[in-house]
């Protein structure tokens, strides 16, 4: 499927991102390790209509690494 990241949701709200990087770092941990200990919370959710310059400003201001693109509050993409 070529999926290299998953958005971690709790009750429909994005909490962070679990990528190949986190998966590789966790490969020697017990399977019982909760996802909360593994995912990267450094993200921001923005509507798909957000202009690129505003998204870049948010990323810089909040010092996050990823933007979760949302449509009607549902995640539809990851940048």
């Amino acid at each position: 499927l070529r999926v290299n990241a998953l958005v971690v949701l709790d009750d429909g709200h994005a909490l962070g991102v679990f990528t190949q990087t986190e998966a590789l770092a966790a490969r020697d941990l017990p399977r019982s390790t909760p996802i909360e200990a593994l995912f990267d919370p450094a993200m921001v959710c923005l509507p798909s209509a957000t202009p690129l310059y505003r998204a870049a400003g948010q990323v810089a201001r909040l010092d996050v690494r990823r933007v979760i693109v949302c449509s009607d509050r549902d995640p539809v993409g990851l940048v």
Side-chain angles (χ1 to χ4, degrees):
L1 295 174
R2 296 185 182 217
V3 174
N4 60 19
L6 300 171
V7 177
V8 178
L9 301 173
D10 183 19
D11 197 25
H13 300 293
L15 299 180
V17 179
F18 184 78
T19 68
Q20 289 177 326
T21 301
E22 287 81 26
L24 290 172
R27 70 178 174 244
D28 294 328
L29 296 175
R31 290 185 178 265
S32 60
T33 305
I35 190 69
E36 290 85 355
L38 304 175
F39 72 85
D40 182 0
M43 56 87 197
V44 63
C45 298
L46 296 174
S48 59
T50 303
L52 187 56
Y53 73 93
R54 290 209 181 175
Q58 289 285 349
V59 167
R61 188 172 21 265
L62 298 173
D63 193 29
V64 297
R65 295 179 47 207
R66 296 181 180 94
V67 175
I68 297 175
V69 181
C70 296
S71 177
D72 293 327
R73 303 185 70 95
D74 293 325
V76 295
L78 180 66
V79 181

